[in-house]
């Protein structure tokens, strides 16, 4: 009875235990454990041998993908899409607008000079014409810089699209770091430094005008 | 044959500032009758409306929806318009662009940025001395 019980217990042991306990049992001179028939054992060994390499490769692949996900999460792709690219394109649009405004203001002045050419001597008139012509020529920079900036904007939009594709491929949740309550609190309590204050020129819709600045200053009185 | 300084010149560019610059340079050169269009489609409409009465077209290349080279091809394919001299003024400076424009029938080609002397010399080569 006891022997039968023991036999059943040996058969039910997991394969790994079987493998480790069998030699010591043999050394002790105990009954050998029940093993699979030869045909079955051969099939199990063949699958295990083939699996080892594939399994190792899959593990390496999985580790690689995990590392890639972590690295992508670290660059905060949602910030690239929602903050950096739109911010940069807005700034570049503002550059184009500002240079266009300045160019038109310069040409307005040239037009005024042109209007008074009849009131001056011919020699002075010729000089003024030459000077205004050179100013008009110089103003063509605005078209060229506008086109160059347009190219940069296209490149940024291309990067944005690729980041989008990356987020889609890896899954939104994977690449979007979850902000913990602690992190949110810490961001809220973070003290503004002098460096934080330096953002350069504001976009016109965000910038305060002089009257608003004056009001703000007056509010301290 | 003397150049008609009263001829209509059509300038085409999607940058309003550039239109103004070219208009002013033309005025300095003595051409006061200048009309403007901001893309190829609008330019083609103006050319057809005026039955080819323009003496010169000065056009940018990179515009939407109709580019300068498409405008040029339309002009050259139209019996009433194909005689009009056509100068391309563009930042596109690759050889392929110049070749494509030449094959489409461009009269001359100016690369931006340009100056009044270049504009005048190209106009002289197309229209004759003025």
């Amino acid at each position: 009875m006891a022997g039968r019980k023991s036999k059943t217990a040996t058969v039910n042991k997991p394969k790994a235990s079987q493998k480790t306990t069998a030699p010591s049992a043999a050394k002790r001179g105990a009954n050998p454990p029940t093993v699979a028939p030869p045909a079955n054992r051969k099939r199990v060994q063949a699958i295990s041998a083939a699996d080892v390499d594939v399994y190792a490769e899959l593990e390496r692949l999985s580790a690689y993908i995990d590392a890639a996900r972590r690295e992508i999460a670290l660059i905060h792709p949602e910030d690239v899409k929602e903050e950096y690219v739109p911010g940069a394109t807005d700034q570049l649009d503002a550059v184009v607008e500002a240079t266009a405004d300045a160019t038109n203001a310069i040409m307005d002045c040239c037009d005024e000079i042109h209007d008074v050419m009849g009131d001056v001597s011919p020699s002075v008139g010729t000089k003024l014409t030459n000077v205004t012509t050179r100013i008009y020529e110089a103003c063509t920079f605005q078209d060229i810089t506008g086109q160059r900036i347009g190219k940069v904007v296209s490149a940024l939009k291309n990067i944005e699209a690729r980041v989008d594709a990356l987020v889609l491929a890896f899954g939104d949740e994977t690449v979007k770091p979850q902000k913990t309550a602690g992190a949110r609190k810490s961001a809220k309590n973070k003290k503004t430094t002098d460096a934080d204050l330096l953002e350069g020129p504001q976009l016109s819709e965000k910038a305060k005008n002089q009257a608003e600045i004056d009001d703000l200053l007056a509010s301290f009185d | 044959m003397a150049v008609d300084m009263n001829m209509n010149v059509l300038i085409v560019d999607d940058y309003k500032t550039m239109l103004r610059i070219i208009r002013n340079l033309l005025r300095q050169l003595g051409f006061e009758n200048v009309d403007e269009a901001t893309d190829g489609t609008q330019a083609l409409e103006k050319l057809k409306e005026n039955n080819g009465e323009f003496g010169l077209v000065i056009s940018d290349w990179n515009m939407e929806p109709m580019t300068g080279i498409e405008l040029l091809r339309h002009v050259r394919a139209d019996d009433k318009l194909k005689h009009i001299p056509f100068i391309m003024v563009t930042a596109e400076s690759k050889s392929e662009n110049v070749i494509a424009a030449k094959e489409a029938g461009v009269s001359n080609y100016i690369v931006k940025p340009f100056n009044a002397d270049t504009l005048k010399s190209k106009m002289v080569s197309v229209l004759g001395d003025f």
Side-chain angles (χ1 to χ4, degrees):
Chain A
M1 186 78 174
R4 244 194 343 252
K5 197 176 179 182
S6 163
K7 201 174 174 183
T8 313
T10 311
V11 168
N12 287 342
K13 269 185 183 173
K15 278 178 188 158
S17 311
Q18 221 173 44
K19 209 173 180 181
T20 52
T21 55
S24 57
K27 272 181 193 169
R28 285 198 310 266
N31 289 334
T34 305
V35 293
N40 278 354
R41 191 172 54 194
K42 197 175 178 185
R43 187 162 58 87
V44 168
Q45 281 171 345
I47 290 169
S48 299
D51 276 352
V52 170
D53 282 348
V54 175
Y55 216 79
E57 279 304 318
L58 285 173
E59 266 189 12
R60 274 196 289 272
L61 198 59
S62 169
Y64 185 82
I65 291 170
D66 273 349
R69 278 181 167 169
R70 278 195 301 274
E71 281 173 22
I72 291 164
L74 282 176
I75 61 169
H76 299 277
E78 78 286 0
D79 286 351
V80 173
K81 181 178 157 47
E82 288 164 19
E83 193 181 331
Y84 298 137
V85 172
T89 52
D90 285 351
Q91 292 287 350
L92 291 171
D93 286 344
V95 169
V96 174
E97 202 180 315
T99 54
D101 287 348
T103 307
N104 279 309
I106 291 165
M107 286 196 290
D108 285 344
C109 297
C110 287
D111 286 347
E112 284 183 37
I113 293 170
H114 184 268
D115 290 343
V116 299
M117 278 179 194
D119 303 336
V120 296
S121 68
S123 64
V124 174
T126 305
K127 277 184 186 170
L128 289 176
T129 301
N130 290 339
V131 168
T132 53
T133 300
R134 277 161 47 205
I135 293 172
Y136 290 136
E137 289 169 358
C139 286
T140 59
F141 87 94
Q142 200 272 327
D143 178 70
I144 302 297
T145 50
Q147 290 191 46
R148 287 194 198 287
I149 289 171
K151 277 187 173 185
V152 176
V153 169
S154 298
L156 283 170
K157 286 186 174 160
N158 200 298
I159 291 169
E160 186 184 12
R162 279 159 199 263
V163 169
D164 249 0
L166 209 60
V167 169
L168 202 68
F170 280 95
D172 198 36
E173 289 309 311
T174 310
V175 294
K176 192 178 273 184
Q178 301 298 310
K179 276 188 183 162
T180 61
R184 277 195 294 271
K185 197 177 171 188
S186 141
K188 202 177 171 184
N189 294 337
K190 191 183 166 224
K191 199 179 170 194
T192 305
T193 65
D194 283 353
D196 292 334
L197 294 172
L198 293 175
E199 271 194 39
Q202 299 287 292
L203 293 171
S204 55
E205 64 270 18
K206 286 185 186 170
K208 284 195 166 22
N209 60 34
Q210 189 56 52
E212 288 170 323
I213 299 285
D214 292 343
D215 286 346
L216 187 59
L217 286 174
S219 73
F220 286 89
D221 295 337
Chain B
M1 201 172 84
V3 174
D4 177 9
M5 301 302 286
N6 292 316
M7 71 168 156
N8 294 318
V9 179
L10 179 63
I11 53 177
V12 193
D13 203 303
D14 54 350
Y15 266 88
K16 292 249 168 80
T17 314
M18 198 65 208
L19 286 174
R20 191 173 171 189
I21 291 166
I22 298 175
R23 175 188 277 276
N24 283 325
L25 288 173
L26 287 171
R27 187 180 63 189
Q28 308 275 50
L29 294 174
F31 295 88
E32 296 280 353
N33 297 324
V34 179
D35 201 354
E36 298 175 355
T38 51
D39 81 283
T41 311
Q42 196 185 37
L44 195 59
E45 277 171 21
K46 289 199 173 198
L47 287 166
K48 285 182 174 175
E49 275 169 21
N50 287 278
N51 242 345
E53 289 301 307
F54 283 96
L56 176 66
V57 175
I58 298 175
S59 176
D60 182 28
W61 184 313
N62 195 350
M63 298 174 292
E64 288 179 351
M66 189 193 285
T67 65
I69 193 136
E70 287 168 340
L71 170 65
L72 172 60
R73 291 189 186 117
H74 278 288
V75 167
R76 292 293 177 250
D78 189 315
D79 281 342
K80 287 181 180 168
L81 307 178
K82 65 182 179 189
H83 66 281
I84 303 174
F86 194 113
I87 297 178
M88 193 76 83
V89 181
T90 174
E92 308 292 343
S93 57
K94 294 196 297 286
S95 306
E96 298 95 292
N97 290 72
V98 180
I99 293 165
K102 196 66 196 164
E103 285 173 354
V106 80
S107 311
N108 221 313
Y109 197 101
I110 298 174
V111 178
K112 292 176 183 174
F114 63 96
N115 57 33
D117 285 343
T118 305
L119 179 63
K120 185 177 180 183
S121 73
K122 299 300 178 189
M123 286 176 69
V124 166
S125 78
V126 169
L127 305 169
D129 265 328
F130 56 87

